[in-house]
Amino acid sequence: MTAEQTGPVVGTPYGAVRGSYEDGIAVFRGIPYAAPPFGPRRFRPPVPPEPWTGVRDALAFGPTPPKPPYSEAFAKLLSDPVVPGDDCLNLNVWTPEPGPGARLPVMVWLHGGALTRGSSAVPVYDGRAFARDGVVLVSVNYRLGVEGYGLFPDAPANPGLRDQLAALRWVHESIAAFGGDPDRITLFGQSAGAISTGALLAVPQAQGLVRRAVLQSGPPEAFDRDKVRRMVRRMATRLKIPATAEAFAAVDRELLLRTQADVGRLSSPVLGGPTFGIVIDGDLVPRDPLEALVDGEVGRGVDLMMGWTRDEYRLWLVPGGLHERVDRLGAVALAGAMARCHCGVEVPRGYRALHPDAGTAETVGQLVTDHLLRYPLHRLADARPGTSHLYEFAWPSNRPDLGSCHALELGFVFDTGDIPESAKLAGQGAPQELADAMHGAWVRFAVDGDPGWQTWDDSHPVRIFGEGAPYVAYGPRDPEFALWTADAEAKEAPVPVEGTPPARSATELRSVVRRLRRTGDVRRSS
């Protein structure tokens, strides 16, 4: 039998694996990079897998980490397959040339899903197009939700981030045997995956493992420890157990997932609420990742590509019907946005002046998105001129009211727009020429750090991927960011103007946010 019939075999530090050939691409699925994180290893840092003898089949996606399902509204738009099993710390490799000596660029993908959902088995993330174009693509599973980001007094913080670091080390040590170059690793992710990517760039133990990074719709950040603790304590109250890792480890896995989903059902990127996230722990994450990257020495040799979608917020507001409710709430919703963004009244006032035709939901959505995402990425680019490339995805979905929403760019980046799972979000007829442009830019960036447009400088160049040919705009959102800069510098609130909510106490604003959360299903989507 030929190698094409039997499948390629590659050695790893823990044993040999056999993959399969798909359209001429060698694919290895479900390779363990760490031991199953259950039993005595639950809520603990990852440890290496047990070595195996002989050749292990790597023909199917490995188990996915425990996670609750999406709500019905989001499940219509986002795919999230479940593969049962304990051995969920695994990864997949697509390579055009499985063998040492090829020294091809490597891209390592961290999926999104609010650190509570998603996996490497999502069909949109198929890596064949990258391998077709000369890149070794690796996609990673990592622990999610309370299993990966619960904060306990008797366990180390950030086990999910520690999983990602273990996977990155595995890639650095093993990828040459699959045809990759360990000195040309590009780490990239979207949403929670981008947040994770940014955090890893700042992790002292990860220095030197990454040459380039792509942050799609997610900034480097650390979550508020008290907010994560509240999530754990609320779960503990529902379960009638202590808020400790020991007590949580004794709870049935499915019951834990149901409790997590119930407690977190009203969390939203727009409205906030208790959630799971990466926290400063004094060990793996010694300080806020954004601040470390902006004013520290970590990650200084890493090229960056960063961007967002024009209408991120529409995935958070439209599926559950919150978009219309926010419009009806008017000034109350703007007050809630001020509470979410910790800003003075001058900021929403400026947005209304800049966009007089925008409804309340659009104003609130863009304001919160700028605060959480675009402004931090601008700050990072400003701190690293000459090595950063910025983009905006502006093609509107063919699905009603979604616009250029969060996660819509993924089918174009992976060049998987022709599969049903991409059409769930994009609709039918997504332009292949846009996929060619975006996928090609990501490949070029992985190859030599140049995606095809100029690096960030004082002219603020942003590549726009939308309808028609891509082009570069200069300073397209600078007026909005000037508002945030002015707000950060001004300590006293200006006098409100007509149509802008008056200044309120913190207690009143928290009450407004609670009222907004009660108006409908605002689950975090991605």
Side-chain angles (χ1 to χ4, degrees), residues 2 7-8 39 98 102 109 128 186 205 220 227 230 291 349 371 417 421 453 464 469 471 516:
T2 66
W109 171 248
R128 275 179 287 181
T186 298
Q205 296 93 318
K227 184 176 287 189
R230 284 201 301 275
E291 301 306 322
R349 172 189 177 184
H371 168 70
E421 290 80 5
W453 65 94
I464 309 297
Y471 64 96
L516 279 168

Side-chain angles (χ1 to χ4, degrees), residues 247-324:
F248 271 63
V251 176
D252 174 77
R253 205 178 302 176
E254 292 303 317
L255 175 58
L256 203 61
L257 283 178
R258 290 196 300 270
T259 306
Q260 175 184 305
D262 188 44
V263 170
R265 68 186 182 86
L266 295 183
S267 297
S268 163
V270 175
L271 302 178
T275 189
F276 293 111
I278 298 164
V279 298
I280 298 172
D281 58 18
D283 170 27
L284 192 68
V285 186
R287 60 180 300 205
D288 181 274
L290 178 61
E291 301 306 322
L293 290 169
V294 166
D295 62 24
E297 291 302 314
V298 292
R300 278 292 168 187
V302 177
D303 298 325
L304 298 177
M305 186 164 74
M306 306 178 286
W308 50 81
T309 72
R310 185 188 61 196
D311 306 313
E312 300 271 5
Y313 67 95
R314 286 186 172 270
L315 185 63
W316 305 325
L317 295 184
V318 170
L322 193 60
H323 193 276
E324 293 80 6

Side-chain angles (χ1 to χ4, degrees), residues 188-228:
F188 74 131
Q190 185 266 347
S191 191
I195 293 171
S196 301
T197 296
L200 286 168
L201 295 181
V203 166
Q205 296 93 318
Q207 300 306 297
L209 297 180
V210 175
R211 179 66 185 85
R212 301 182 179 94
V214 184
L215 279 64
Q216 300 174 215
S217 300
E221 65 179 359
F223 284 63
D224 183 274
R225 289 177 65 93
D226 287 338
K227 184 176 287 189
V228 178

